[in-house]
Amino acid sequence: MEQYEPDRLSPAQVAAMRRSFTHGRAALTRRSLLRASAGGALAVGGLGTLSACGIPPAGKTEGGVSSEDRSKEEKEVSFSNWTEYMDIDESGRRHPTLEAFTRRSGIKVKYTEDINDNSEFFGKIQPQLSAGQETGRDIIVLTDWLAARLIRLGWVQKLDPAHLPHAFANLSPQFRDPDWDPGRAYSYPWQGISTVIAYNKKALDGVEVKTVSDLLDNPKLKGRVGFLTEMRDTVGMVLLDMGKDPARFTDDDYDAAIARLQKGVDRGQIRRFTGNDYTADISKGDFAACLAWAGDVVQLKADNPDVDFVIPDSGYITSSDNMLVPIKARHKTNAERLMDYYYEPGPAAQLAAYINFVCPVDGVKDELARIDEDAANNPLIIPDKAMQALSRAFRSLSAKEETAYEEKFAKLTGA
């Protein structure tokens, strides 16, 4: 049997994780901000469970190891998600879309907000998954890099397209074909996460910012520019600005992007690399412009009329949080029905109106406009076709690449 050899963590990767937990998207609350993918590394808290070599995978067959589906006999589904990532009523106790699903289907949803970051959650479920045991969960929501890892290890089940007609028909084109799950055989996006350029109009004082080159090269912005401590977001945006595809770049391309950023550091053009704390910098005007996460910008614009954003013509980086069915899940069909439900325009619009992330459901704008017209017209929530066409994903990395790239990025940022 093929053995699961856990990825070895370099000091730079450990540093990247700690940055993410304390200052990156992992440190933020779900309602107003985003969280980090932790750079593709494993949680510090989960290292102990992954330190030994030779842990057998649960299965490498197509779709992983399944168990008897008890969906017909047991009208229930267990759904693990991130905190503040579901619509909620004014009482703070009820989830309207989940309750509507139960009324329609008769399937009771056990909804648990027990994911605080990808890596920590992986540490919780890895012992059961590696042993081929059920986790007690039918749906889990993980960011791209960890979703890719579980698929690669055979720890999630292949989805049945017959149970996902709305998802198949309504999935936005920009999320349809990630390199780690071609054709979405094992996953469907819950929400999207986009990286854009945010700016403070008052602080710019007439200076035009449209590109990453403007951030790096305009002397009028010296010392007033911020980039992100998340490697994929910062390097991905620089690669796009250089005319490189983040889905197909080479080692030389990566090194060129790092060198370009290093010049910005050496000249004092870049004030600092930040996690979510850029929100204070851009609001106060300490940053005239910076890379930012779209979910932040929605909130920042609502609170400060000087804050706005721009999408570079070269494109922007988008990732996603993804629904998966782990091996040995007891209620796979029920899970697929719930996943498909959130690809109907009505429930998708209710969810988007509450959480303000990038909605992965195509054709939801009219439904959302009935609830919140401003949200429906916000391209950070409902990207139009032109914006969708500019969306790019950072490609999957091998363990060797992960280590090398994080070390170079850590040296750049001084982590």
Side-chain angles (χ1 to χ4, degrees):
M1 177 180 288
E2 181 179 351
Q3 298 292 293
Y4 165 41
E5 297 290 345
D7 298 343
R8 299 304 184 187
L9 297 177
S10 68
Q13 286 176 293
V14 173
M17 289 185 295
R18 294 189 186 281
R19 288 198 310 272
S20 184
F21 299 155
T22 57
H23 300 294
R25 287 181 284 178
L28 311 181
T29 60
R30 176 55 46 194
R31 172 61 174 146
S32 60
L33 302 174
L34 305 176
R35 54 143 230 299
S37 65
L42 297 174
V44 175
L47 295 182
T49 61
L50 296 175
S51 60
C53 296
I55 301 172
K60 301 301 289 187
T61 58
E62 184 175 350
V65 176
S66 62
S67 62
E68 180 183 353
D69 190 352
R70 297 174 175 83
S71 292
K72 289 184 178 180
E73 299 80 16
E74 301 174 3
K75 295 295 184 179
E76 59 188 78
V77 62
S78 178
F79 185 178
S80 281
N81 206 346
W82 296 74
T83 58
E84 300 187 51
Y85 217 9
M86 180 66 73
D87 59 304
I88 195 167
D89 69 0
E90 293 182 0
S91 73
R93 295 188 298 270
R94 300 173 59 187
H95 301 293
T97 56
L98 288 177
E99 292 187 359
F101 172 78
T102 297
R103 286 194 299 271
R104 180 203 295 184
S105 65
I107 299 170
K108 183 178 180 180
V109 182
K110 179 185 177 183
Y111 184 72
T112 308
E113 296 180 336
D114 59 348
I115 305 178
N116 293 309
D117 64 71
N118 288 286
S119 302
E120 180 185 44
F121 185 70
F122 182 83
K124 290 180 182 178
I125 64 175
Q126 183 271 333
Q128 293 105 313
L129 293 174
S130 63
Q133 299 171 353
E134 65 175 283
T135 65
R137 301 166 175 90
D138 301 304
I139 299 176
I140 54 178
V141 178
L142 303 174
T143 307
D144 292 346
W145 68 268
L146 185 53
R149 183 186 297 268
L150 265 63
I151 292 170
R152 188 167 63 246
L153 291 170
W155 289 356
V156 295
Q157 297 188 52
K158 192 170 186 179
L159 301 173
D160 185 346
H163 298 152
L164 294 155
H166 296 98
F168 180 80
N170 296 335
L171 177 60
S172 174
Q174 73 183 99
F175 297 106
R176 278 197 176 271
D177 201 33
D179 65 351
W180 48 269
D181 187 16
R184 291 290 180 180
Y186 296 91
S187 68
Y188 268 94
W190 176 247
Q191 297 291 293
I193 304 168
S194 296
T195 304
V196 300
I197 296 176
Y199 60 87
N200 185 306
K201 287 177 277 190
K202 186 175 181 180
L204 283 178
D205 193 26
V207 176
E208 187 175 65
V209 171
K210 290 186 176 181
T211 68
V212 172
S213 288
D214 291 333
L215 299 184
L216 289 171
D217 300 331
N218 191 328
K220 294 181 179 179
L221 298 179
K222 183 176 180 179
R224 300 192 295 139
V225 165
F227 282 77
L228 295 167
T229 55
E230 296 298 332
M231 180 268 287
R232 284 169 171 79
D233 296 315
T234 286
V235 175
M237 291 293 282
V238 174
L239 284 168
L240 283 168
D241 190 70
M242 294 167 58
K244 303 296 182 179
D245 186 350
R248 295 177 177 83
F249 67 90
T250 65
D251 287 348
D252 287 343
D253 294 334
Y254 184 89
D255 288 345
I258 291 293
R260 191 161 178 228
L261 286 161
Q262 188 66 58
K263 288 181 181 179
V265 171
D266 294 342
R267 293 198 311 264
Q269 183 78 8
I270 298 174
R271 184 184 184 97
R272 64 192 185 102
F273 292 85
T274 72
N276 70 292
D277 42 335
Y278 72 79
T279 57
D281 289 307
I282 197 72
S283 294
K284 292 186 298 182
D286 292 340
F287 282 164
C290 65
L291 295 188
W293 294 306
D296 292 2
V297 178
V298 172
Q299 298 296 318
L300 290 169
K301 279 174 57 66
D303 296 335
N304 185 342
D306 288 328
V307 175
D308 212 332
F309 74 98
V310 64
I311 303 295
D313 289 341
S314 58
Y316 65 101
I317 294 293
T318 300
S319 59
S320 58
D321 288 328
N322 309 277
M323 296 179 285
L324 305 104
V325 178
I327 57 170
K328 295 292 185 179
R330 293 169 61 91
H331 311 106
K332 180 174 181 284
T333 298
N334 291 345
E336 291 165 337
R337 290 182 65 184
L338 181 57
M339 292 165 67
D340 192 62
Y341 167 75
Y342 279 104
Y343 275 81
E344 296 179 25
Q350 287 181 262
L351 186 65
Y354 183 80
I355 62 177
N356 295 161
F357 273 62
V358 180
C359 181
V361 182
D362 212 15
V364 76
K365 185 173 182 177
D366 289 344
E367 288 288 339
L368 182 56
R370 297 187 180 97
I371 304 170
D372 186 335
E373 189 170 354
D374 288 341
N377 292 320
N378 190 332
L380 297 181
I381 300 173
I382 305 293
D384 57 24
K385 289 185 178 180
M387 185 168 172
Q388 288 182 21
L390 292 173
S391 172
R392 298 291 184 271
F394 198 96
R395 69 171 172 82
S396 300
L397 301 178
S398 68
K400 183 179 179 181
E401 288 175 325
E402 185 74 53
T403 298
Y405 291 175
E406 283 290 3
E407 286 178 350
K408 292 174 182 178
F409 190 70
K411 183 179 180 181
L412 167 74
T413 61

